[in-house]
Amino acid sequence: MVEWEGEALGRLRQGLYRFFASSFLYPEESRLAILIETTRRLDQDYLARFAFHHSWMRLRGAMQEEAMVSGLGKQYIRLFSAGLGGAICPPYESFYLALPGQPASLFALQLEREYAGLGLALSPDYENLPDHVSAELEAMAFLCGKEAEAWSDRACERVVKVIEDERTFLQRHLEKWFFAFAERVMEEAAGTIYGTIAEAADAFIRHDLELSNLLLREVSV
Amino acid sequence: MGEAKTALLICGHWRESGELTDWLLDEDVEVHVIPELCHHFDFPRLLAGREIRRLILGLCREGSSIGELQTQARKVGLDPLGVEIVSLNGNGIERSKVLLAGALARARAFKGSKPENAKLYLSSRISRRSLLRLSLTEYRAVSSIDQGICAAGSGCSLCVSVCPQSALEWSDGILGHDRSRCEPCGLCVTACPRGAVIDPACTPAQLEAQIRTLLSVGYSDPRGIVFLCQQSPEPKAASGWMPVKLPCVGMATPTWILAPLLLGAGAVAVLSCQRSCPTSQSRAIKQGVAFCREFLRLIGAPEDLVMLNPALEEPPREGRGTVPLEDPYSHKAHANVLTKLASEYGRSRVILEHPLSPVGVVEIRDDACTACGMCAATCPTSALTHEEGEEGVTLSFDAGECVACGLCLSKCPERGRGAIILHKIVNLELLSQGRMPVYVERMARCIACGAPIASAKMLGRLEELLGSEHAPVMPLISSHCMDCRVMAHG
């Protein structure tokens, strides 16, 4: 029987959300070095328990290839930040979900409120809007960290409550737009590291949605 | 010796394991006996660095952890949904060889899965207390839809109608699939008349490969095929009965059940879960088997070539040999299987009306049909076609293509007047007749430009529906096409 400690699962998911959050930020040298190191360090045997392992291993392989991770700055700007409205794959929820005439700031305000409700605030150093993909993924990382702590404290009610929060946040936000964003990146950046990151993140988040739904459905009081 | 692409691992606990190491002289397969394989799937170290594409495990103990097996398969880069497991417990060496060869053929026909085909499961319901130690996840194959082939756009929703979990939904020509509801039963796979619904772990090619091998690899006894559910334990059976597992036996169409008789099987047994069937298919399975037996009786074959839930203590009878047959498990094979089987018994004129007939005959009543073509536009197999020619409108029908789905009937605007009648019937003569015109109607043409307006019958029907109040517009509608009507009116 495959068994795992809930805490370890929470930490793994926290690490993966944090990894993907960071990988959608500008690839400064130090950040990139950490990302590459993270793909080496994450427990591959543990990851093999999950169906997204295949796409993760492809990303891990790509991250070790120097040709794949050089010149990323230009790619990043072309894909995600080439001026207002000019990015090929805008990494903002508002771009995908805003109704005609609806200002992006509404999304920012709503998310800031939700982050505050979860006990989070954007750092003054954070240069993007609250509906940037990295902010939403970081929020999920934060929740998974809280979940891991609850596991560690053996606090069942807290575990369930945090998983409910995770599912709510996923359903309200990432489920509604992330897959469209990832599909764009996979199309526009096929064969590059960003295409591979998008594919792995897509597989992981889909799996995480299924996992949280399953856990909450199957847990009897 | 070339690089091995398939690995066959046998548990060393099985007392006959030593006999198998030199058995397969196929340079594409490597055979290993691993001590305690049933207890520890410790094969990644053995297979590391090898170009293994397919994996078959011969285990002597049931109840191994599928989740653990899948984890180990991923470690060596294998798609876990393509790994085949053969239960060797209680089997002698000869029978085990046949079972392993069948699994090998099935594994080789595996074409890979997509992420949406792997559905996550927990081993059992968990209490909040046990949540502190999560246990056992495994993935099971669920079907996915090839939107490029799917006929939902033209109104087909046959898969929706058979889904016992309500996991499929048709909306405005688009098929939605709710994976959280979906269970791996495969009913949608065989309901699809186009082969657009795919279960990667149970494709027609895999079934054909496995069954052909089970029936052809050297073995002294006569052989029969036993269809049973994936989750069912293997039954105690006389040695000639070869098990073929399906996600749910309810997915097996009558021609799936009959096809092995053309591939060399002496008999076919269908084991349903009966009252414990999780998809409530017991009645449908019973009807499907009843259809097969009635068909066998009509062609002069013994009815008990197909049996429902038999004891399997007696060995199957000797088969009649193999008949050349292409793609017997494809969605298009119904007519071919029925015709060839009847031909084997020297029959070419059989008529069998049955609610579970996999083929049908469409009858068009010319006193009610307006030749609008809706039936042909919605027909998912193009059994019905609608052609406009110089002479008029022709509706043609090919009974060999019809799967008796009834979509034509449901979309016919004149169904209330009985314009179309669907007979759920096997008529062997019609099956091999090919495409025949079933209704020809004169086309009214524009007096100004000669373009077609509509069939004369349709204009007549329109006049009838509009009644006397709108009668003055009819001469214009009947004489001019849409474009010329504007000019003529202006």
Side-chain angles (χ1 to χ4, degrees):
Chain A
M1 181 179 280
V2 178
E3 289 191 330
W4 64 62
E5 294 295 340
E7 184 185 356
L9 178 64
R11 293 278 175 229
L12 176 84
R13 292 170 52 237
Q14 179 187 26
L16 286 168
Y17 273 117
R18 188 151 285 161
F19 172 89
F20 288 120
S22 188
S23 64
F24 287 116
L25 289 171
Y26 185 80
E28 290 158 9
E29 207 170 309
S30 57
R31 180 173 289 138
L32 188 58
I34 293 170
L35 287 173
I36 293 169
E37 187 58 21
T38 306
T39 56
R40 282 203 197 104
R41 284 197 173 192
L42 276 176
D43 184 346
Q44 310 307 324
D45 280 357
Y46 193 68
L47 278 162
R49 291 180 176 183
F50 306 102
F52 59 82
H53 175 256
H54 183 66
S55 51
W56 172 260
M57 289 307 283
R58 216 172 10 231
L59 171 60
R60 183 173 185 258
M63 283 295 225
Q64 314 307 318
E65 284 180 38
E66 207 174 311
M68 288 289 269
V69 291
S70 60
L72 283 193
K74 277 185 190 167
Q75 278 187 50
Y76 184 89
I77 289 167
R78 183 181 76 89
L79 290 168
F80 306 123
S81 68
L84 192 62
I88 301 172
C89 312
Y92 293 99
E93 179 179 321
S94 50
F95 177 83
Y96 299 88
L97 300 184
L99 298 170
Q102 196 176 16
S105 55
L106 276 182
F107 285 79
L109 280 171
Q110 172 65 23
L111 271 154
E112 265 187 325
R113 269 201 294 270
E114 285 190 44
Y115 292 149
L118 298 172
L120 275 170
L122 288 174
S123 153
D125 300 335
Y126 186 68
E127 292 169 349
N128 296 298
L129 290 166
D131 66 333
H132 190 272
V133 63
S134 62
E136 293 192 9
L137 291 168
E138 192 62 52
M140 277 304 297
F142 170 78
L143 288 172
C144 292
K146 270 176 77 173
E147 183 197 321
E149 281 170 24
W151 286 111
S152 167
D153 296 343
R154 306 187 69 77
C156 259
E157 299 299 324
R158 254 169 61 210
V159 167
V160 174
K161 171 74 176 66
V162 181
I163 298 175
E164 278 168 357
D165 287 346
E166 288 167 13
R167 186 176 69 167
T168 304
F169 191 82
L170 279 170
Q171 287 180 335
R172 272 198 198 154
H173 301 288
L174 290 162
E175 185 181 23
K176 287 188 178 160
W177 72 279
F178 181 82
F179 304 126
F181 162 69
E183 195 179 334
R184 242 174 205 246
V185 179
M186 283 187 261
E187 272 174 24
E188 296 293 340
T192 74
I193 199 74
Y194 282 113
T196 319
I197 290 171
E199 186 194 332
D202 181 283
F204 167 64
I205 294 169
R206 281 183 197 277
H207 187 277
D208 217 46
L209 258 165
E210 196 166 331
L211 180 67
S212 58
N213 277 327
L214 185 69
L215 285 175
L216 291 174
R217 196 173 63 235
E218 295 291 320
V219 173
S220 59
V221 184
Chain B
M1 192 165 167
E3 194 80 51
K5 295 286 191 289
T6 305
L8 173 55
L9 310 182
I10 314 285
C11 180
H13 250 173
W14 186 54
R15 58 190 170 83
E16 314 273 8
S17 58
E19 296 274 328
L20 284 172
T21 47
D22 300 324
W23 162 54
L24 282 164
L25 297 172
D26 183 337
E27 68 173 27
D28 200 34
V29 183
E30 55 180 61
V31 184
H32 299 277
V33 174
I34 301 182
E36 306 284 341
L37 180 64
C38 292
H39 296 275
H40 309 288
F41 295 120
D42 192 18
F43 54 78
R45 271 183 301 173
L46 174 74
L47 302 182
R50 289 175 145 93
E51 286 287 313
I52 298 296
R53 293 277 175 266
R54 301 285 177 256
L55 179 65
I56 298 103
L57 303 184
L59 304 179
C60 54
R61 194 176 68 104
E62 290 200 4
S64 303
S65 164
I66 298 299
E68 181 61 19
L69 166 63
Q70 292 178 337
T71 300
Q72 302 305 328
R74 276 186 213 103
K75 286 183 187 172
V76 285
L78 288 165
D79 184 334
L81 298 184
V83 176
E84 293 290 331
I85 300 174
V86 177
S87 172
L88 301 174
N89 194 21
N91 290 313
I93 185 75
E94 293 305 315
R95 181 175 155 84
S96 298
K97 283 179 181 176
V98 177
L99 295 176
L100 288 167
L104 183 63
R106 186 165 172 147
R108 280 175 165 167
F110 176 70
K111 298 285 183 221
S113 67
K114 295 177 181 171
E116 60 263 35
N117 292 124
K119 183 175 174 185
L120 180 64
Y121 282 83
L122 295 175
S123 61
S124 57
R125 282 193 77 83
I126 45 179
S127 67
R128 292 203 176 196
R129 179 177 285 275
S130 68
L131 183 62
L132 289 170
R133 189 167 181 82
L134 292 172
S135 64
L136 192 57
T137 54
E138 63 181 60
Y139 297 84
R140 292 187 210 154
V142 290
S143 52
S144 57
I145 297 143
D146 184 337
Q147 300 286 359
I149 307 174
C150 176
S154 53
C156 180
S157 59
L158 293 170
C159 53
V160 178
S161 63
V162 299
C163 178
Q165 320 294 343
S166 304
L168 291 158
E169 191 181 51
W170 185 96
S171 176
D172 290 336
I174 295 170
L175 202 59
H177 184 202
D178 181 349
R179 274 167 42 90
S180 66
R181 284 170 173 257
C182 183
E183 292 296 326
C185 68
L187 296 182
C188 51
V189 174
T190 43
C192 178
R194 289 202 175 181
V197 188
I198 298 151
D199 176 346
C202 185
T203 61
Q206 282 176 290
L207 275 182
E208 181 184 350
Q210 184 185 17
I211 292 172
R212 279 191 191 277
T213 307
L214 289 173
L215 296 172
S216 63
V217 171
Y219 192 52
S220 50
D221 295 343
R223 270 167 278 186
I225 292 296
V226 185
F227 286 112
L228 70 159
C229 291
Q230 192 68 49
Q231 303 301 324
S232 301
E234 291 200 9
K236 286 205 167 110
S239 69
W241 290 106
M242 300 297 167
V244 173
K245 290 201 165 185
L246 301 174
C248 165
V249 168
M251 78 183 287
T253 63
T255 49
W256 274 31
I257 297 169
L258 291 168
L261 299 174
L262 291 165
L263 304 177
V268 177
V270 178
L271 302 189
S272 88
C273 302
Q274 301 183 60
R275 284 185 186 166
S276 60
C277 175
T279 53
S280 309
Q281 291 302 301
S282 299
R283 191 159 168 266
I285 294 165
K286 199 172 172 182
Q287 281 187 315
V289 170
F291 169 87
C292 294
R293 290 171 69 96
E294 182 63 6
F295 182 76
L296 289 167
R297 190 183 66 77
L298 288 173
I299 64 172
E303 280 180 47
D304 64 357
L305 293 186
V306 170
M307 294 172 282
L308 178 64
N309 300 322
L312 299 177
E313 285 157 354
E314 296 294 319
R317 65 179 74 204
E318 192 75 55
R320 290 169 65 97
T322 308
V323 174
L325 184 65
E326 273 184 36
D327 302 329
Y329 288 90
S330 111
H331 58 283
K332 292 180 174 175
H334 303 304
N336 202 16
V337 168
L338 296 170
T339 310
K340 290 216 165 162
L341 193 56
S343 165
E344 272 300 288
Y345 287 87
R347 300 296 168 99
S348 57
R349 301 180 66 167
V350 164
I351 292 178
L352 168 57
E353 191 151 13
H354 193 282
L356 250 69
S357 172
V359 294
V361 173
V362 167
E363 182 187 342
I364 307 286
R365 278 184 46 202
D366 56 7
D367 58 331
C369 176
T370 60
C372 70
M374 284 292 282
C375 52
T378 197
C379 177
T381 61
S382 300
L384 268 170
T385 56
H386 176 266
E387 283 167 21
E388 288 180 13
E390 284 299 314
E391 300 301 312
V393 188
T394 306
L395 275 174
S396 304
F397 177 68
D398 184 346
E401 302 280 333
C402 179
V403 291
C405 65
L407 279 176
C408 51
L409 191 62
S410 66
K411 300 291 175 192
C412 174
E414 300 296 336
R415 62 183 176 277
R417 298 166 68 221
I420 291 189
I421 300 167
L422 171 69
H423 300 281
K424 295 211 164 200
I425 193 169
V426 180
N427 183 331
L428 284 185
E429 276 186 300
L430 289 181
L431 284 183
S432 48
Q433 200 172 35
R435 185 164 295 283
M436 300 290 284
V438 285
Y439 184 54
V440 182
E441 175 58 29
R442 187 178 63 83
M443 176 68 87
R445 294 191 172 272
C446 175
I447 55 169
C449 71
I453 303 171
S455 73
K457 268 278 177 54
M458 191 184 291
L459 291 174
R461 177 72 175 138
L462 191 61
E463 189 168 5
E464 196 182 318
L465 289 169
L466 288 174
S468 56
E469 193 184 337
H470 300 285
V473 298
M474 273 317 292
L476 184 64
I477 291 174
S478 309
S479 58
H480 289 81
C481 68
M482 284 279 268
D483 292 340
C484 296
R485 210 175 293 159
V486 179
M487 287 188 281
H489 193 63

